[in-house]
């Protein structure tokens, strides 16, 4: 929809979260961000991306719209990060960063970074959380794994994931943390921070955003999410029907993923 929006968001996150030997610390991250022509102060908002390690590598799993309007945008940059440990062996971690941007010329401008903060793991995760984590047909990025382990994801969302895994292998992008607190551009609370939603970016190996993704596959997944209890299923195309009015929706923000929301 707006390729440069995603590209700019990813470039800034990569500059903050990956560095060679001698590149650790906020000052070095500020220099890397400034070299992109972006505000070096964004590095001060890097949070967990700026671990105290002699070097780091960052992989962007997916860049998903959190909101896309004419003059502003949110891109959820889903990351894995590897930090060099004291013995040189890599330590795997990761986060999801809500990157805010505003329209500017010649390129969109990154205005803020909001890294995920899943919170500590629950002492005794509930049964559906354990089953989701053990299900090989559900792929979760690091921040989403931490969300499930925290005990703050509602059972309705977890049970729906498990139901979908009976028919599909799928990859989740965002569950709770790293998502805007409000539905972008509105004053309505999002279901995500309350643990009542999850987004899917790839189904049976096909990215939802890819033009070659089979339309019937994405549609069947959306209808299966509704059948699994989602009252609010969004995706790249508007579907008819549903058990309730307006159960399905589509807009530019959901061109690149399937959203499934649940009631508490």
């Amino acid at each position: 929809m707006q390729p440069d929006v995603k590209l700019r968001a990813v470039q800034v996150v990569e500059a903050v979260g990956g560095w060679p030997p001698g590149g650790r610390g906020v000052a070095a991250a500020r220099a890397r961000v400034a070299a992109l022509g972006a505000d070096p102060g964004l590095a001060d908002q890097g949070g967990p991306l700026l671990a105290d390690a002699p070097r780091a590598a960052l992989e962007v799993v997916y860049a998903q719209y959190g909101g896309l309007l004419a003059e502003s945008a949110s891109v959820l940059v889903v990351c894995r990060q590897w930090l060099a440990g004291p013995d040189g062996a890599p330590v795997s971690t990761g986060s999801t960063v809500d990157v805010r941007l505003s329209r500017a010329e010649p390129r969109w401008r990154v205005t803020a970074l909001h890294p995920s903060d899943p919170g500590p793991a629950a002492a005794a995760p509930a049964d559906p959380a354990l089953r989701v984590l053990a299900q090989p047909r559900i792929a979760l990025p690091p921040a989403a794994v931490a969300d499930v382990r925290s005990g703050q994801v509602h059972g309705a969302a977890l049970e729906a994931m498990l139901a979908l895994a009976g028919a599909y292998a799928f990859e989740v992008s965002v569950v709770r943390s790293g998502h805007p607190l409000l539905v972008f551009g509105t004053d309505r609370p999002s279901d995500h921070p309350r643990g009542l939603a999850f987004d899917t970016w790839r189904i049976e190996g096909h990215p939802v955003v890819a033009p070659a993704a089979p339309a019937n596959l994405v549609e069947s997944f959306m209808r299966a999410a509704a059948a699994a209890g989602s009252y609010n299923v969004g995706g790249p195309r508007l579907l008819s029907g549903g058990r309730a009015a307006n159960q399905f929706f589509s807009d530019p923000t959901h061109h690149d993923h399937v959203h499934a929301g649940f009631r508490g």
Side-chain angles (χ1 to χ4, degrees), residues 22 68 166 181 210-211:
L68 181 61
L181 298 179

Side-chain angles (χ1 to χ4, degrees), residues 110-121:
V110 176
T111 58
L113 306 180
H114 300 284
S116 56
D117 182 14

